[in-house]
Amino acid sequence: MRTPGTPRRDTRGIVDAAGLLARVRFRRHAPAEALRPYLEHYWLIDWDLTEPYASHVVPHPSVNVVFQSSEPHPTAEVAGIQPGLFTKKLAGRGRVCGVQFRPGGFRPFAPHLEVASLTGHRLPLPDVFPHLADPAADDTARRIIAPDDEHARVAALDAFLTALGPAPDPRADLAMRLVDRVREDRSVRRVSALARTEGLSVRSLQRLFSAYVGVGPKWIILRYRIHQALEQAESTPHAAIDWPDIAASLGYADQAHLVRDFTATVGVPPTAYAPH
């Protein structure tokens, strides 16, 4: 299992990762030690395009805080979990600095908030953290997005999050551990089985995930399956992709179930998906 706060090296969730990475500079950075129990990583993207490009991502079950260059001043948003495919059009020159929280890791920074209330929404930073009302939010965004030195951007992100003072919360720890288990253990396929092995009722597990993660455990089980299917397809020449084998490896009863979930999430059936 990956150590919390250690940046992933995979491209899981990015649709046509090769196409995106050929057009942008994409990097991940580890946060400060004290923040690592709560964060996946920081992510930085810079681009300078001669032609517009639409990027597509099957989002992780994570809240993100996103700082983006924009005129007349940078913007700062809290992005809840996006249930469907997230599409972003990139054009000209631009820069984004993001914080990806571990599933369940955002709540300690905003203990007043049920994370499910953010799902499907992108809110200005002051809407979630009222003490950062303008001009404080503008100043924060400018300090983070402006430096050309990316290590200065990372230091600014560390300072921003450290100032929010994450509050220790054993239920957040439990939520993060359970989501990690779903992500790493492919044998976890049913919510009832996950609840039973943890000594919880299904209803208690669902309430925990709503309050601390933002989506239900069944949604997360399905989402990680689609991430794995995309990753396997991205790493295999298109003509050699064996969708029935992928379906079986992910625990689907048959290919039809994978087709249904994949199409609902990505927008095209597996057989029409050509990552190369």
PDB file of all heavy atoms in Angstrom, residues 80-83 115-121 213-215:
ATOM      1  N   GLY A  80     -15.711  19.643  -5.206  1.00  0.00           N
ATOM      2  CA  GLY A  80     -16.173  18.386  -4.647  1.00  0.00           C
ATOM      3  C   GLY A  80     -16.017  17.264  -5.661  1.00  0.00           C
ATOM      4  O   GLY A  80     -15.660  17.490  -6.817  1.00  0.00           O
ATOM      5  N   ILE A  81     -16.295  16.048  -5.241  1.00  0.00           N
ATOM      6  CA  ILE A  81     -16.198  14.901  -6.139  1.00  0.00           C
ATOM      7  C   ILE A  81     -17.167  15.092  -7.298  1.00  0.00           C
ATOM      8  O   ILE A  81     -18.335  15.421  -7.098  1.00  0.00           O
ATOM      9  CB  ILE A  81     -16.527  13.600  -5.383  1.00  0.00           C
ATOM     10  CG1 ILE A  81     -15.489  13.351  -4.286  1.00  0.00           C
ATOM     11  CG2 ILE A  81     -16.572  12.409  -6.347  1.00  0.00           C
ATOM     12  CD1 ILE A  81     -15.853  12.226  -3.346  1.00  0.00           C
ATOM     13  N   GLN A  82     -16.659  14.919  -8.511  1.00  0.00           N
ATOM     14  CA  GLN A  82     -17.494  15.033  -9.703  1.00  0.00           C
ATOM     15  C   GLN A  82     -18.022  13.654 -10.074  1.00  0.00           C
ATOM     16  O   GLN A  82     -17.238  12.750 -10.375  1.00  0.00           O
ATOM     17  CB  GLN A  82     -16.688  15.627 -10.857  1.00  0.00           C
ATOM     18  CG  GLN A  82     -16.108  17.001 -10.565  1.00  0.00           C
ATOM     19  CD  GLN A  82     -17.177  18.030 -10.233  1.00  0.00           C
ATOM     20  OE1 GLN A  82     -18.109  18.241 -11.003  1.00  0.00           O
ATOM     21  NE2 GLN A  82     -17.056  18.658  -9.075  1.00  0.00           N
ATOM     22  N   PRO A  83     -19.339  13.452 -10.057  1.00  0.00           N
ATOM     23  CA  PRO A  83     -19.881  12.106 -10.283  1.00  0.00           C
ATOM     24  C   PRO A  83     -19.590  11.545 -11.678  1.00  0.00           C
ATOM     25  O   PRO A  83     -19.397  10.347 -11.836  1.00  0.00           O
ATOM     26  CB  PRO A  83     -21.397  12.289 -10.074  1.00  0.00           C
ATOM     27  CG  PRO A  83     -21.519  13.521  -9.228  1.00  0.00           C
ATOM     28  CD  PRO A  83     -20.382  14.408  -9.665  1.00  0.00           C
ATOM     29  N   VAL A 115     -19.133  16.368   3.787  1.00  0.00           N
ATOM     30  CA  VAL A 115     -18.448  16.420   2.499  1.00  0.00           C
ATOM     31  C   VAL A 115     -19.404  16.141   1.342  1.00  0.00           C
ATOM     32  O   VAL A 115     -19.213  16.646   0.232  1.00  0.00           O
ATOM     33  CB  VAL A 115     -17.241  15.456   2.495  1.00  0.00           C
ATOM     34  CG1 VAL A 115     -16.526  15.478   1.149  1.00  0.00           C
ATOM     35  CG2 VAL A 115     -16.261  15.843   3.601  1.00  0.00           C
ATOM     36  N   ALA A 116     -20.470  15.370   1.580  1.00  0.00           N
ATOM     37  CA  ALA A 116     -21.450  15.104   0.515  1.00  0.00           C
ATOM     38  C   ALA A 116     -22.085  16.389   0.003  1.00  0.00           C
ATOM     39  O   ALA A 116     -22.548  16.434  -1.145  1.00  0.00           O
ATOM     40  CB  ALA A 116     -22.528  14.147   1.008  1.00  0.00           C
ATOM     41  N   SER A 117     -22.099  17.457   0.807  1.00  0.00           N
ATOM     42  CA  SER A 117     -22.687  18.726   0.359  1.00  0.00           C
ATOM     43  C   SER A 117     -21.860  19.372  -0.740  1.00  0.00           C
ATOM     44  O   SER A 117     -22.343  20.267  -1.449  1.00  0.00           O
ATOM     45  CB  SER A 117     -22.829  19.697   1.542  1.00  0.00           C
ATOM     46  OG  SER A 117     -21.551  20.111   2.022  1.00  0.00           O
ATOM     47  N   LEU A 118     -20.604  18.927  -0.917  1.00  0.00           N
ATOM     48  CA  LEU A 118     -19.741  19.468  -1.970  1.00  0.00           C
ATOM     49  C   LEU A 118     -19.833  18.669  -3.264  1.00  0.00           C
ATOM     50  O   LEU A 118     -19.418  19.163  -4.325  1.00  0.00           O
ATOM     51  CB  LEU A 118     -18.279  19.457  -1.506  1.00  0.00           C
ATOM     52  CG  LEU A 118     -17.911  20.301  -0.298  1.00  0.00           C
ATOM     53  CD1 LEU A 118     -16.471  20.017   0.106  1.00  0.00           C
ATOM     54  CD2 LEU A 118     -18.099  21.781  -0.591  1.00  0.00           C
ATOM     55  N   THR A 119     -20.361  17.459  -3.195  1.00  0.00           N
ATOM     56  CA  THR A 119     -20.328  16.559  -4.351  1.00  0.00           C
ATOM     57  C   THR A 119     -21.067  17.158  -5.539  1.00  0.00           C
ATOM     58  O   THR A 119     -22.213  17.606  -5.427  1.00  0.00           O
ATOM     59  CB  THR A 119     -20.929  15.199  -3.980  1.00  0.00           C
ATOM     60  OG1 THR A 119     -20.141  14.633  -2.919  1.00  0.00           O
ATOM     61  CG2 THR A 119     -20.936  14.251  -5.167  1.00  0.00           C
ATOM     62  N   GLY A 120     -20.366  17.190  -6.680  1.00  0.00           N
ATOM     63  CA  GLY A 120     -20.944  17.748  -7.896  1.00  0.00           C
ATOM     64  C   GLY A 120     -20.840  19.252  -7.999  1.00  0.00           C
ATOM     65  O   GLY A 120     -21.335  19.838  -8.969  1.00  0.00           O
ATOM     66  N   HIS A 121     -20.165  19.894  -7.033  1.00  0.00           N
ATOM     67  CA  HIS A 121     -20.092  21.367  -7.013  1.00  0.00           C
ATOM     68  C   HIS A 121     -18.641  21.836  -7.031  1.00  0.00           C
ATOM     69  O   HIS A 121     -17.735  21.157  -6.547  1.00  0.00           O
ATOM     70  CB  HIS A 121     -20.783  21.923  -5.761  1.00  0.00           C
ATOM     71  CG  HIS A 121     -22.221  21.562  -5.652  1.00  0.00           C
ATOM     72  ND1 HIS A 121     -23.195  22.094  -6.465  1.00  0.00           N
ATOM     73  CD2 HIS A 121     -22.864  20.693  -4.822  1.00  0.00           C
ATOM     74  CE1 HIS A 121     -24.366  21.592  -6.146  1.00  0.00           C
ATOM     75  NE2 HIS A 121     -24.202  20.738  -5.153  1.00  0.00           N
ATOM     76  N   VAL A 213     -16.412  11.294   3.087  1.00  0.00           N
ATOM     77  CA  VAL A 213     -15.850  11.092   1.745  1.00  0.00           C
ATOM     78  C   VAL A 213     -16.623  11.888   0.702  1.00  0.00           C
ATOM     79  O   VAL A 213     -16.036  12.542  -0.163  1.00  0.00           O
ATOM     80  CB  VAL A 213     -15.840   9.589   1.378  1.00  0.00           C
ATOM     81  CG1 VAL A 213     -15.206   9.392  -0.002  1.00  0.00           C
ATOM     82  CG2 VAL A 213     -15.081   8.785   2.427  1.00  0.00           C
ATOM     83  N   GLY A 214     -17.944  11.830   0.768  1.00  0.00           N
ATOM     84  CA  GLY A 214     -18.764  12.615  -0.162  1.00  0.00           C
ATOM     85  C   GLY A 214     -19.598  11.775  -1.104  1.00  0.00           C
ATOM     86  O   GLY A 214     -20.504  12.279  -1.755  1.00  0.00           O
ATOM     87  N   VAL A 215     -19.280  10.497  -1.228  1.00  0.00           N
ATOM     88  CA  VAL A 215     -20.045   9.551  -2.043  1.00  0.00           C
ATOM     89  C   VAL A 215     -20.125   8.242  -1.271  1.00  0.00           C
ATOM     90  O   VAL A 215     -19.387   8.020  -0.308  1.00  0.00           O
ATOM     91  CB  VAL A 215     -19.404   9.313  -3.428  1.00  0.00           C
ATOM     92  CG1 VAL A 215     -19.507  10.546  -4.313  1.00  0.00           C
ATOM     93  CG2 VAL A 215     -17.954   8.877  -3.272  1.00  0.00           C
TER      94      VAL A 215
END
